[in-house]
Amino acid sequence: MDLQLDGRHRPVIVVGGGQAGLSMSRCLAGAGVGHVVLERERAGHEWSARRWDSFCLVTPNWQCRLPGFPYPGDDPDGFMVRDEIVEYLQQYKNSFDAPLVEGVTATRLRQLPGGGFRLTTTHGELTADHVVVATGPYQVPLTPRLAEKLPEHVVQLHSSEYRNADQLPDGDVLVVGTGQSGCQIAEDLHLAGRRVHLAVGSAPRVARRYRGRDVVAWLDDMGYYARGIDEFADADAVRFRANHYVTGRDGGHDIDLRAFARDGMRLHGRLTGVHNGQLVFADDLRRNLDAADAVSEGIKDSIDAHITARGIAAPKEARYVPVWHPDDEPGTLDPAAISAVVWSTGFGRDHRWIDVPVFDGKGYPTHRRGVTSCPGLFFLGLPWQHTWGSGRFCGVGADAEYLTQRILAGERAADVRWISGTPVNTAPDDEWVAPRTVA
């Protein structure tokens, strides 16, 4: 879309053109609300530029149900690979002629004294009555400071930079982190014939299938993806909990770290530091493996209870039996034994361009269902924004529709105070621009 931005006013500005921003645009368009969507790169950029070659969804295609655009393919029980995900988003964008402006970076958002907002961008300044921040949670790749202590011969990549095994030099590879990215990258390297060392964290796992169906299908029937965060007594802990690791690769299967170890992968506990030139691991490998298995088996327990309570005809299935147990693993590893490290250590947020006091002490936006303490300013696409499905293709649409209704209700900027007690920022306007990549 070719649009002159400088000096324009729109009722709503959506910042971010991924699945969250496009979902918001679709709901606003359906309600007849004028808006524009600003995207720093191109729609689907995060999926194409920060995912490895064999990447695929971990949830079945039928769960891809963005507003007005359910999965259009012929493999609902399959798992879209990276390029198919990008194509799905492109088709979605084209399905309703989204007012998307690509190649525009938002650099500063401020409240206006009389209400509304001013957004500074690389293509000029706009004003709006409402702003929806749909930039997602995965903005800044995080690498621990101990990476600086590794010898120069060790090639280091963040998971967002990893593409395939050929990208790395010959030799053993250490993968740090066992969230979804770490486990899947470790498997990718393992299948490529590389000797992998894996630092195992506390992320839980889940079986791919159980009692004749994909576990996601059972959980969807049981209402897990629609359960609100306000139903949990430990909502903050739930919101920041790591996702269960599993894969959709080659039709979908479990990721069993014990099986990897049986077949030659070297498992370690959490990486805790570098001491006397050695990588040091915590003595928690057995505990982390047992805890991950316990979560998986607990999910199966809940499925069994669901089947029994509703009298569902489902085949019986034997429970998981561990195929490997750790011995007294050495707690150190000589960096000379590895050629590369893949840091699967997650992402941080960079909201410093938002000059509005709506963040807590950890820099997390304070909100309820995406509605902040500053009426007129909203967030969309955050994990557990309202439900488990909020950060996924299956649930972001419901959140976008909710925010659309709040916008239609006429919420505007109000008296949200800075620490100085003033309704607007009184710091000198130094034309400061937030860096787009920070550690």
Side-chain angles (χ1 to χ4, degrees):
M1 179 179 181
D2 183 17
L3 180 66
Q4 176 63 38
L5 298 179
D6 193 43
R8 293 294 184 95
H9 178 87
R10 303 296 290 166
V12 182
I13 296 174
V14 180
V15 182
Q19 63 266 24
L22 292 175
S23 295
M24 191 73 217
S25 179
R26 177 66 175 80
C27 292
L28 290 170
V33 178
H35 66 284
V36 65
V37 182
L38 306 181
E39 165 57 38
R40 185 177 60 191
E41 304 288 349
R42 293 181 59 84
H45 172 80
E46 290 296 300
W47 294 100
S48 62
R50 298 213 290 191
R51 303 296 191 275
W52 52 96
D53 293 349
S54 64
F55 178 88
C56 60
L57 293 178
V58 300
T59 52
N61 294 334
W62 58 261
Q63 263 210 339
C64 295
R65 42 193 187 221
L66 297 179
F69 200 74
Y71 169 70
D74 57 4
D75 187 17
D77 294 317
F79 304 88
M80 283 192 283
V81 298
R82 181 187 62 189
D83 292 346
E84 291 173 333
I85 299 167
V86 175
E87 177 61 24
Y88 173 64
L89 287 175
Q90 290 293 327
Q91 292 176 358
Y92 184 50
K93 178 190 73 171
N94 296 335
S95 70
F96 63 98
D97 192 23
L100 174 68
V101 183
E102 298 174 316
V104 177
T105 300
T107 59
R108 197 169 193 182
L109 176 66
R110 289 165 285 178
Q111 291 175 275
L112 293 173
F117 302 89
R118 182 181 302 279
L119 180 68
T120 304
T121 78
T122 52
H123 284 60
E125 289 194 334
L126 305 85
T127 57
D129 302 318
H130 313 272
V131 173
V132 180
V133 179
T135 53
Y138 308 124
Q139 295 154 13
V140 183
L142 296 180
T143 301
R145 291 295 302 271
L146 65 87
E148 301 168 7
K149 299 181 179 181
L150 296 183
E152 290 185 4
H153 82 272
V154 178
V155 173
Q156 302 186 54
L157 297 176
H158 187 268
S159 60
S160 60
E161 302 170 296
Y162 174 79
R163 295 296 173 266
N164 55 60
D166 293 338
Q167 184 183 12
L168 303 178
D170 293 339
D172 291 16
V173 180
L174 170 64
V175 178
V176 180
T178 49
Q180 289 181 354
S181 294
C183 288
Q184 291 173 43
I185 289 173
E187 180 185 47
D188 190 62
L189 290 164
H190 181 68
L191 294 176
R194 303 299 293 268
R195 172 73 179 271
V196 179
H197 296 259
L198 180 61
V200 179
S202 58
R205 76 180 187 94
V206 64
R208 178 76 274 167
R209 296 179 179 86
Y210 182 60
R211 298 194 67 174
R213 301 179 74 194
D214 194 295
V215 167
V216 169
W218 285 120
L219 295 177
D220 193 71
D221 287 353
M222 295 159 64
Y224 272 68
Y225 293 102
R227 186 180 178 189
I229 189 72
D230 51 3
E231 298 180 36
F232 294 85
D234 56 344
D236 287 337
V238 169
R239 179 164 276 152
F240 296 107
R241 192 174 294 162
N243 284 323
H244 307 68
Y245 55 84
V246 69
T247 184
R249 184 170 181 158
D250 299 328
H253 55 264
D254 293 9
I255 290 183
D256 185 352
L257 301 185
R258 297 179 190 270
F260 288 161
R262 177 198 61 195
D263 297 337
M265 188 180 293
R266 187 70 175 274
L267 303 187
H268 306 268
R270 290 178 301 107
L271 178 62
T272 59
V274 178
H275 184 64
N276 292 332
Q278 299 289 299
L279 294 167
V280 181
F281 301 92
D283 184 22
D284 59 1
L285 174 59
R286 182 183 297 273
R287 180 168 67 251
N288 291 343
L289 293 174
D290 288 346
D293 289 344
V295 170
S296 180
E297 294 306 293
I299 292 172
K300 291 177 183 178
D301 289 340
S302 65
I303 293 172
D304 286 341
H306 172 75
I307 289 171
T308 299
R310 287 158 180 77
I312 298 171
K316 297 289 186 180
E317 182 173 329
R319 286 301 189 92
Y320 172 76
V321 177
V323 298
W324 178 87
H325 295 279
D327 297 322
D328 293 330
E329 290 290 309
T332 61
L333 175 66
D334 188 346
I338 60 174
S339 65
V341 176
V342 180
W343 298 101
S344 299
T345 44
F347 294 81
R349 295 175 295 274
D350 181 6
H351 289 141
R352 294 183 299 162
W353 59 277
I354 301 176
D355 241 347
V356 184
V358 292
F359 299 95
D360 65 14
K362 299 183 291 293
Y364 185 80
T366 56
H367 68 90
R368 182 176 177 82
R369 296 195 67 174
V371 180
T372 73
S373 59
C374 177
L377 179 59
F378 308 93
F379 282 79
L380 181 64
L382 300 175
W384 277 104
Q385 177 160 311
H386 179 54
T387 67
W388 195 8
S390 286
R392 305 167 184 248
F393 285 114
C394 67
V396 67
D399 291 338
E401 181 58 38
Y402 177 79
L403 295 186
T404 299
Q405 295 305 313
R406 297 299 294 259
I407 289 171
L408 289 173
E411 295 193 26
R412 295 181 58 114
D415 189 18
V416 180
R417 297 274 166 169
W418 288 81
I419 192 171
S420 61
T422 57
V424 295
N425 190 2
T426 57
D429 189 352
D430 56 4
E431 299 302 322
W432 172 83
V433 176
R436 301 312 302 170
T437 56
V438 294

